Amino acid sequence: MPIKIKSKQNNFRRCGIPHPDQWTEYPDDRFSKAELKILKAEPMLLIEEGIEKKSAAKDAKEKK
């Protein structure tokens, strides 16, 4: 599952990359477990994990 990160301050740097103040999605293997721990502990960052994009077809199937 992907991880989404949004910074409270545009281009705030953590784990060697700038994080924009807009939600940015990364693949689940982008960060190591140690980096994820650092990112989650950082109060300047908002983190969402396990957000899966649903396709329109998948969404229609689930409604039936």
Side-chain angles (χ1 to χ4, degrees):
M1 299 275 172
I3 182 171
K4 288 173 65 175
I5 302 175
K6 179 180 178 179
S7 177
K8 294 178 181 178
Q9 176 185 338
N10 195 34
N11 292 323
F12 177 79
R13 294 186 69 85
R14 188 59 70 227
C15 294
I17 62 171
H19 298 280
D21 60 2
Q22 302 293 318
W23 286 107
T24 304
E25 188 172 307
Y26 300 93
D28 59 353
D29 61 350
R30 169 58 180 90
F31 301 103
S32 69
K33 288 183 181 184
E35 288 174 321
L36 281 175
K37 187 175 181 181
I38 292 167
L39 293 170
K40 289 178 184 179
E42 176 54 62
M44 289 296 292
L45 299 176
L46 303 171
I47 310 285
E48 286 187 4
E49 285 187 280
I51 307 300
E52 183 178 3
K53 288 185 179 177
K54 291 184 182 181
S55 68
K58 185 177 179 181
D59 213 20
K61 278 185 178 179
E62 289 178 355
K63 288 182 180 180
K64 288 183 179 182

